[in-house]
Amino acid sequence: MDFDLARPIYQQIIDDFKKQMIRGELRKGERIPSQREYAEKARINPNTVQRAYREMENMRMVETLRGQGTYVNISEEDLQMLRKGMARAVLKNFVMEMRALGFDDEETLIMLQAEQTGGEGDNKQ
Amino acid sequence: MIEFINVSKQFGATVALNNLNLSFQPGRITGLFGPNGAGKSTSLKMISGLNRPDRGEIRVHGQAPVGCKDSIAYLPEIDHLYPWMNIKQAAGFMQSFYADWDEEKYRELLAFLNLDEQMKISKISKGQRAKTKLLLAAARHSRYLLLDEPLSGIDILTREEIIQTLIRDYREGEQTVIISTHEIDDVEALVDEVVFLNRGQVKLSGNADQLREEKGMSLVEIMKEEFRHAN
């Protein structure tokens, strides 16, 4: 995974795990890499990985069993909240970018619907 | 914990450290950054007891550096290896000096870094010499590891090998590592604390991720931003 070095790295580690859980690539009960494995593979500071794992434990995304490893331990309810939360963040960002381009929300909505129904027509000029 | 308290050092007319106050967090990998002449090498030499302050004091784990030599491994910027030795002899030399030499770790690092004990220092490439320097410093089980420009003038693949070795070898929480370098972009993800020095003083310091969060910039960009205004 490539990190955006202008953003906190521990946050990006957490986001990466969130996405994997949302997509169903990581399911409850599955083991995730040990902190050491993760640090070596991604070539990042072990303390940074430790911070990310600790926060994921606090957010009840994962559980570390002493001597056994770290496992996905997210409830279905939390997973749905995570899913919606991340989608909302993406949407918010999208709307802001569109506004910055000078589109009002109605125009944006129309374009979004057109995009969905395969309406590529007005992109080609 | 390593502390600099009001430390000044002058070489002739050149001020190297100017009333420097600084502390290095224990159990962290700190990046020591700054332009040439900022005082990076002088600071590391002082921690390892090779230089003394003109004024002020340095405390390593509460003691004067000279008393802590056994817990400090230092990789100097200069080429300090005897050219007539092979790696095995250089390792034996280190082993005779330091009680915390870890033979098992040495063997492991040797293999990981693709070095051969029989290689003669005078015959190996610059990249291999850099790896040998790291090998000899890291093969000790030291509480403090000081690395002065371990990546300078080395090709990108060797730099990556060195960084990977440092991550593999790092003992979470126990070991304090300070790495001075110009190659900030190479160590962005390796360091968790940073100190930017300028003209013998601290320009900026803090946790790397926290600085990224506050400024929305990478460490390289923060460095450029800080020094654009400074000079």
Side-chain angles (χ1 to χ4, degrees):
Chain A
M1 144 175 203
D2 278 328
F3 293 97
D4 172 2
L5 296 172
R7 287 175 46 224
I9 292 174
Y10 83 92
Q11 196 64 59
Q12 296 177 64
I13 298 173
I14 297 174
D15 285 349
D16 184 42
F17 278 112
K18 279 184 183 170
K19 282 181 192 158
Q20 290 187 56
M21 289 178 195
I22 288 169
R23 286 195 296 257
E25 291 164 13
L26 270 181
R27 291 170 192 280
K28 190 167 177 171
E30 268 186 79
R31 187 178 173 276
I32 64 169
S34 72
Q35 296 181 22
R36 180 151 282 278
E37 283 163 355
Y38 194 101
E40 280 182 33
K41 191 145 181 271
R43 291 181 192 177
I44 37 184
N45 185 301
N47 294 324
T48 306
V49 179
Q50 189 183 49
R51 179 172 179 192
Y53 275 48
R54 204 170 44 219
E55 297 223 358
M56 289 197 294
E57 278 167 27
N58 292 340
M59 293 159 79
R60 289 192 290 176
M61 288 169 61
V62 300
E63 182 183 37
T64 298
L65 303 174
R66 197 160 300 197
Q68 293 182 56
T70 303
Y71 296 84
V72 178
N73 187 34
I74 192 166
S75 69
E76 190 52 39
E77 201 185 341
D78 283 353
L79 187 65
Q80 288 311 320
M81 265 173 51
L82 213 63
R83 191 166 170 264
K84 283 186 186 135
M86 281 197 101
R88 218 171 280 136
V90 170
L91 265 177
K92 205 171 158 186
N93 191 40
F94 166 72
V95 171
M96 263 167 49
E97 296 255 343
M98 289 304 278
R99 284 178 189 163
L101 285 174
F103 287 85
D104 64 40
D105 292 356
E106 207 171 330
E107 246 181 310
T108 302
L109 195 61
I110 291 167
M111 281 188 74
L112 195 63
Q113 279 164 342
E115 189 72 32
Q116 259 188 327
T117 50
E120 294 158 15
D122 44 11
N123 287 341
K124 295 172 193 160
Q125 300 213 341
Chain B
M1 168 101 110
I2 299 175
E3 286 171 292
F4 282 62
I5 305 152
N6 303 323
V7 174
S8 293
K9 178 76 181 177
Q10 223 166 313
F11 296 105
T14 311
V15 177
L17 302 181
N18 185 8
N19 201 27
L20 179 66
N21 284 289
L22 169 63
S23 60
F24 292 99
Q25 298 305 312
R28 302 273 158 187
I29 304 180
T30 302
L32 187 58
F33 305 143
N36 289 318
K40 305 188 296 293
S41 288
T42 306
S43 303
L44 293 183
K45 275 184 199 148
M46 281 187 176
I47 299 168
S48 53
L50 296 171
N51 250 333
R52 284 163 193 274
D54 296 337
R55 280 189 305 282
E57 67 173 325
I58 293 161
R59 312 237 117 213
V60 179
H61 209 63
Q63 296 175 53
V66 199
C68 305
K69 275 211 162 113
D70 288 342
S71 56
I72 300 170
Y74 168 62
L75 182 156
E77 186 181 7
I78 51 151
D79 220 338
H80 66 301
L81 305 170
Y82 293 115
W84 64 83
M85 285 185 172
N86 61 24
I87 293 178
K88 188 182 176 141
Q89 289 165 324
F93 189 69
M94 292 294 284
Q95 191 172 15
S96 68
F97 265 104
Y98 298 104
D100 59 2
W101 180 265
D102 186 337
E103 186 68 18
E104 198 181 318
K105 200 169 153 196
Y106 163 71
R107 297 271 153 218
E108 203 190 299
L109 286 171
L110 195 67
F112 185 72
L113 289 165
N114 282 309
L115 293 168
D116 180 338
E117 276 201 309
Q118 301 307 322
M119 289 173 169
K120 203 173 166 195
I121 306 293
S122 60
K123 297 271 168 63
I124 59 180
S125 71
K126 199 170 176 185
Q128 285 170 328
R129 209 143 50 214
K131 290 199 283 185
T132 306
K133 281 165 74 175
L134 178 71
L135 165 72
L136 297 178
R140 290 178 50 196
H141 200 79
S142 60
R143 187 201 289 258
Y144 301 99
L145 179 60
L146 315 177
L147 309 163
D148 196 1
E149 295 285 352
L151 307 170
S152 78
I154 299 163
D155 66 85
I156 180 128
L157 293 175
T158 309
R159 270 184 272 164
E160 278 184 8
E161 267 185 283
I162 288 179
I163 287 166
Q164 201 156 17
T165 304
L166 288 170
I167 290 172
R168 244 173 73 98
D169 187 55
Y170 177 70
R171 307 190 304 278
E172 280 102 334
E174 281 180 55
Q175 202 178 23
T176 303
V177 181
I178 306 175
I179 172 164
S180 95
T181 183
H182 285 105
E183 259 68 32
I184 301 183
D185 42 354
D186 285 327
V187 300
E188 283 265 3
L190 171 67
V191 302
D192 56 345
E193 295 284 327
V194 291
V195 173
F196 293 96
L197 285 185
N198 190 38
R199 297 177 180 180
Q201 291 185 323
V202 177
K203 186 84 176 74
L204 182 73
S205 66
N207 175 270
D209 268 351
Q210 205 172 320
L211 287 171
R212 289 187 183 104
E213 180 124 58
E214 282 167 19
K215 299 185 180 276
M217 289 190 276
S218 67
L219 300 178
V220 176
E221 288 163 348
I222 293 170
M223 162 106 177
K224 283 184 189 159
E225 177 84 4
E226 285 293 317
F227 289 93
R228 195 173 299 135
H229 301 309
N231 294 309

